Amino acid sequence: MNVMKLEIKDLHVEVEDKEVIKGISLNINEGEFHVLMGPNGSGKTTLSRTIMGHTKMKVTKGDILVDGESILKMPTDKRAKLGLFLLFQSPIEIEGLGLLNFLNTAKASLQGNLPFKEFMEEVKNDAKSLHIKEDIIGRSLNYGFSGGEKKKVEVLQMQVLKPKIAILDEPDSGLDVDAVRVVAENVNDYQQRAKAGLLLITHYSRILNYMKPNFVHVMVDGKIVKEGGRDLADQIEKEGYKF
Amino acid sequence: MITVESTEKVLEQAIASYSKMPFETAQLYKKYVLNFPIPQGDAEGGTDLEKLRTQIANESRLRFDLYNGKEGTVSSSEFVKVSGKKQNDYREDANAGFEERLGAYVSSRSKNSVEIDIPAGREAKLNFLFLCDSSNAPVQVVANIGDGSRLSLFEWFGSASDARCASTTLHVINAGSRSNVEINMLHNEGLETGVGALNRVSAGEDSVVRMNGIYNGGKLTRSSTFAEASGRGSNLLVNEIVLGNAEQKFDINTFILNSNQQTKAVLKTGAVLKGKSFCILKGYAKVAEHTNGSYSNVEERGLVLDPDARIQPLPDMSIDCKDVAFASHSASTAPLDKEALFYLMSRGIDETKAKRIFVASFLSKYLADIENDIVKEIAISILLDKLDNDRHTPVPKISMQNLWIVPKKR
Ligand SMILES: Nc1ncnc2c1ncn2[C@@H]1O[C@H](COP(=O)(O)OP(=O)(O)OP(=O)(O)O)[C@@H](O)[C@H]1O
Ligand SMILES: [Mg+2]
């Protein structure tokens, strides 16, 4: 079986004429679990949006490849079709768009039409394991959801859409202690079931107490400054970003 | 029962009340007016009404309780009476305001006067089809909804694509105490037709009244609505959807008034504009003196999809009561939200579809307020057809498939 490979090569990215990513190289394979940490404004979200093809992020140098082919010219939806997924740090609210309708449309775009009953069953099961209240799935996408509900619904989308490599931009921010555990367990479960690759962006080692990452990368001012294993996260939590 | 004489009086009073509307008096509004030419004599085109009527009936699978055709205006409902009215001479009074002139025109030229009379404690669901042809025959409807009654009224206004006519209407609707009334007006006239609509609504004590106006057709639309939460504890919602493309123009004037205590009056308008279309939204709320505990809100939202499309929202408010529960007015217009598109596309949805979803979601906020599911279905189908194909059709395909795109309200 071929595993999907995401390669980031000496990536430089400008946003609004300002260089934010200043030469980053990172390889993520399907099945691997990476963590990315770094202070506010270091460029973590910018990196994740660049991987997903946000048009405001201008790649000035370097490349992003999937299975050896550059995806820089690919529109965002095609990247999703390759198997990439981004859990948003700040999910967008769309009043008037039913969450179910949205998920169904997205799933159909990625995997073709599924009988509605099967789809509903899957969504309900995943929502249950995430402790998402029933009424949430009948409502408008993220509209008026609490911070925690939004993050859980992002994880729900990952479970339903089944990406091969998922970038999770702070899935734990804004979550209470119990919710962090629930989210961590669901992400673990998905990763193991789907043998997915993960790039988890976080500020706290708290969520990692429930998880087993293979690699930890630390980003400061648009560059990766340190790499290591699980203990690096604890060190940062204790000492901050002093390198 | 209402009599022809009392109906005439009601109409007269309604027309006269327009002279006090802010659109005639406020300086702010005088700058933004689309001139609607009051028709003189007959127009051209749109002669095959029978064909259009059959198509609409077949496609919507609706049985219309009232329609106009070769035989004139025909009604089959026990609650509806069509009385022939002789055609008065219409004399243009240059000193009168626009609404008064239009009202006088409709009233004098209309061949038929439609009266809806729902006795107390009864329930009615009525579907009307008004097609406009070269005779320019205006429509006037007077509805009296008895105490504790329910009325769900759907009116489809249409004309053929080539009908260079004027679709003019005058409505006077009185909702009795504790009544529950939903009026749905779908304007889907052809793009050569002028649309002039006058609506006068009053909500009785503890009544719930919703008026949903969907403005999809017409070359130039000028509508003036005067909706009054007149009975204590009444709850009034005026919900308006505008979808313009090509060269369509809209001038939507809506006045909501709280004139009693504990009343709620809300005006929600959502306009989506494409091509070179243009829309003025004049939403005005007044909370009268001594209406303690009243709630009033005007909210105008515009979504502008093309660089040459324009919208001018002008919400305004006058609060003459010191003890209101809530009063607010707001307006916003925006292009397509790039971040929302990125979000949708990141889930594998292509750009075209993502845009469609975004616009449909915007419209859904207003469609969600329509209680009648069949009307909702027809409205979604008609709006999406226009968005997808960038053209206006008198009878688009109507599909139940789209119904579930409207999410539950929070
Ligand atoms: N759309 C934008 N316009 C202007 N500047 C931007 C934009 N997006 C990001 N930036 C800038 O790029 C830098 C990196 O921002 P980014 O959001 O990637 O940081 P982050 O590492 O995700 O921070 P946090 O931990 O706070 O989420 C910041 O200085 C930010 O102000
Ligand atoms: Mg960030």
Side-chain angles (χ1 to χ4, degrees):
Chain A
M1 203 182 86
N2 280 341
V3 290
M4 178 168 164
K5 284 192 182 71
L6 173 67
E7 290 170 81
I8 298 161
K9 280 192 175 157
D10 188 29
L11 190 71
H12 292 250
V13 178
E14 278 181 12
V15 187
E16 309 278 340
D17 296 327
K18 183 183 128 192
E19 184 164 64
V20 176
I21 305 291
K22 302 171 179 174
I24 279 190
S25 298
L26 193 64
N27 292 337
I28 300 166
N29 293 334
E30 212 176 327
E32 294 175 0
F33 185 172
H34 296 249
V35 170
L36 179 64
M37 301 180 83
N40 292 133
S42 55
K44 305 180 297 298
T45 296
T46 304
L47 175 66
S48 65
R49 283 151 73 86
T50 309
I51 296 171
M52 216 58 217
H54 194 294
T55 48
K56 251 198 177 152
M57 317 287 131
K58 302 268 176 275
V59 174
T60 51
K61 198 179 159 201
D63 207 348
I64 305 174
L65 309 121
V66 167
D67 297 338
E69 304 249 353
S70 172
I71 60 166
L72 288 185
K73 293 217 168 73
M74 226 180 233
T76 299
D77 62 300
K78 291 270 165 52
R79 300 186 193 203
K81 284 177 182 122
L82 287 180
L84 290 172
F85 177 87
L86 172 59
L87 180 147
F88 281 58
Q89 180 175 358
S90 315
I92 308 291
E93 297 190 7
I94 306 185
E95 187 188 357
L97 174 57
L99 172 56
L100 270 182
N101 175 21
F102 160 68
L103 257 184
N104 188 263
T105 310
K107 195 167 172 72
S109 311
L110 292 172
Q111 294 150 29
N113 277 311
L114 192 74
F116 191 70
K117 238 178 110 182
E118 260 172 65
F119 164 76
M120 273 307 294
E121 217 143 280
E122 190 180 341
V123 172
K124 277 193 175 154
N125 284 337
D126 289 334
K128 206 170 157 195
S129 78
L130 278 161
H131 301 214
I132 293 173
K133 281 186 265 144
E134 277 256 346
D135 77 302
I136 291 275
I137 57 174
R139 274 166 43 187
S140 289
L141 180 64
N142 294 325
Y143 181 70
F145 291 9
S146 75
E149 285 165 347
K150 281 183 188 162
K151 290 294 160 77
K152 284 182 173 180
V153 166
E154 291 286 295
V155 177
L156 173 71
Q157 292 178 43
M158 176 184 74
Q159 289 170 328
V160 173
L161 301 180
K162 305 198 185 345
K164 292 181 186 159
I165 294 179
I167 304 153
L168 313 178
D169 193 356
E170 302 196 18
D172 52 343
S173 65
L175 294 187
D176 64 42
V177 195
D178 292 334
V180 168
R181 185 179 41 79
V182 169
V183 162
E185 283 168 2
N186 274 271
V187 172
N188 277 340
D189 186 58
Y190 175 72
Q191 202 235 337
Q192 275 150 28
R193 236 183 326 131
K195 307 248 176 320
L198 288 188
L199 176 64
L200 185 139
I201 300 171
T202 184
H203 286 285
Y204 309 102
S205 62
R206 190 173 63 166
I207 190 170
L208 303 178
N209 291 338
Y210 309 100
M211 305 178 115
K212 294 195 185 69
N214 311 111
F215 312 95
V216 174
H217 313 267
V218 181
M219 183 169 174
V220 176
D221 191 23
K223 289 190 199 110
I224 304 254
V225 295
K226 202 165 168 88
E227 297 183 289
R230 169 76 181 78
D231 5 320
L232 183 53
D234 291 326
Q235 188 194 330
I236 287 167
E237 178 100 31
K238 265 192 241 120
E239 300 166 19
Y241 299 100
K242 289 178 279 181
F243 301 105
Chain B
M1 264 316 275
I2 37 178
T3 61
V4 174
E5 293 85 78
S6 68
T7 302
E8 265 174 31
K9 194 159 253 144
V10 166
L11 288 166
E12 239 167 61
Q13 283 167 356
I15 294 163
S17 68
Y18 278 103
S19 62
K20 296 191 211 84
M21 297 261 288
F23 320 117
E24 298 287 1
T25 52
Q27 288 304 321
L28 167 72
Y29 292 146
K30 283 187 179 163
K31 280 200 291 190
Y32 301 94
V33 175
L34 289 181
N35 263 324
F36 181 87
I38 289 171
Q40 311 284 342
D42 287 357
E44 319 154 18
T47 40
D48 203 351
L49 283 194
E50 295 301 314
K51 195 172 140 206
L52 188 56
R53 171 157 67 90
T54 316
Q55 282 175 347
I56 291 176
N58 288 345
E59 189 57 46
S60 65
R61 298 180 299 277
L62 273 185
R63 194 184 60 81
F64 286 101
D65 303 280
L66 182 146
Y67 59 84
N68 53 340
K70 265 205 295 267
E71 330 73 291
T73 305
V74 182
S75 158
S76 57
S77 165
E78 57 167 315
F79 300 113
V80 180
K81 207 171 78 191
V82 182
S83 52
K85 188 171 176 295
K86 78 169 187 323
Q87 200 165 309
N88 300 329
D89 280 338
Y90 168 66
R91 243 173 283 123
E92 173 93 30
D93 174 1
N95 293 322
F98 170 78
E99 273 80 11
E100 282 178 281
R101 284 187 289 130
L102 180 61
Y105 167 78
V106 174
S107 194
S108 60
R109 286 283 309 247
S110 111
K111 285 185 191 140
N112 296 296
S113 179
V114 178
E115 290 161 29
I116 305 173
D117 195 6
I118 317 284
R122 297 289 297 272
E123 196 165 316
K125 205 166 192 174
L126 300 171
N127 302 312
F128 291 180
L129 178 60
F130 292 113
L131 297 177
C132 158
D133 67 357
S134 57
S135 71
N136 277 333
V139 169
Q140 55 185 14
V141 177
V142 176
N144 281 305
I145 299 104
D147 294 350
S149 296
R150 292 180 79 90
L151 169 65
S152 172
L153 172 64
F154 172 45
E155 298 180 322
W156 178 321
F157 298 94
S159 68
S161 303
D162 66 336
R164 295 172 165 276
C165 58
S167 167
T168 52
T169 55
L170 172 58
H171 280 80
V172 183
I173 293 155
N174 289 309
S177 54
R178 299 178 324 281
S179 61
N180 188 307
V181 178
E182 174 166 282
I183 313 280
N184 294 299
M185 296 178 182
L186 170 68
H187 283 280
N188 198 42
E189 291 91 344
L191 294 193
E192 293 297 328
T193 300
V195 179
L198 297 174
N199 306 309
R200 178 79 174 82
V201 185
S202 108
E205 198 175 309
D206 291 324
S207 63
V208 177
V209 177
R210 277 184 313 282
M211 211 178 91
N212 303 311
I214 300 152
Y215 300 94
N216 186 58
K219 182 191 181 93
L220 188 156
T221 296
R222 165 121 182 199
S223 92
S224 298
T225 300
F226 178 8
E228 180 176 0
S230 53
R232 190 189 163 95
S234 53
N235 183 340
L236 176 73
L237 168 68
V238 181
N239 179 37
E240 299 168 332
I241 299 173
V242 180
L243 175 56
N245 73 354
E247 310 259 354
Q248 280 184 288
K249 291 184 175 55
F250 303 86
D251 183 354
I252 310 290
N253 305 246
T254 307
F255 177 31
I256 56 170
L257 171 66
N258 297 72
S259 61
N260 209 326
Q261 297 182 1
Q262 312 292 332
T263 49
K264 183 170 181 181
V266 173
L267 167 62
K268 274 172 69 179
T269 311
V272 176
L273 299 174
K274 295 183 71 172
K276 291 182 178 165
S277 60
F278 176 50
C279 178
I280 308 171
L281 298 177
K282 295 173 208 153
Y284 188 88
K286 182 180 165 78
V287 182
E289 272 182 282
H290 315 300
T291 58
N292 298 1
S294 288
Y295 180 112
S296 169
N297 191 24
V298 174
E299 205 185 282
E300 300 176 343
R301 300 275 175 268
L303 187 57
V304 181
L305 299 181
D306 289 317
D308 291 332
R310 275 198 309 136
I311 179 164
Q312 184 68 59
L314 301 161
D316 203 356
M317 183 167 243
S318 145
I319 304 166
D320 304 332
C321 170
K322 287 188 201 77
D323 196 12
V324 292
F326 181 86
S328 160
H329 66 288
S330 64
S332 69
T333 68
L336 269 184
D337 181 348
K338 293 247 167 63
E339 291 302 319
L341 288 184
F342 175 63
Y343 189 81
L344 295 171
M345 289 174 72
S346 79
R347 290 349 182 198
I349 300 167
D350 68 48
E351 189 172 349
T352 310
K353 232 190 205 153
K355 283 182 179 163
R356 177 190 201 259
I357 288 177
F358 188 78
V359 179
S361 309
F362 178 88
L363 294 170
S364 280
K365 291 184 278 188
Y366 304 90
L367 293 166
D369 279 311
I370 300 175
E371 208 155 88
N372 184 328
D373 272 346
I374 295 167
V375 174
K376 201 186 288 191
E377 170 199 348
I378 291 171
I380 301 170
S381 296
I382 285 180
L383 296 169
L384 288 182
D385 181 85
K386 187 163 161 187
L387 279 171
D388 289 348
N389 303 307
D390 213 6
R391 56 148 164 76
H392 175 269
T393 343
V395 197
K397 279 255 160 298
I398 292 166
S399 141
M400 200 76 182
Q401 299 292 313
N402 293 314
L403 197 56
W404 75 300
I405 74 162
V406 181
K408 268 191 237 153
K409 278 205 292 175
R410 193 168 134 73

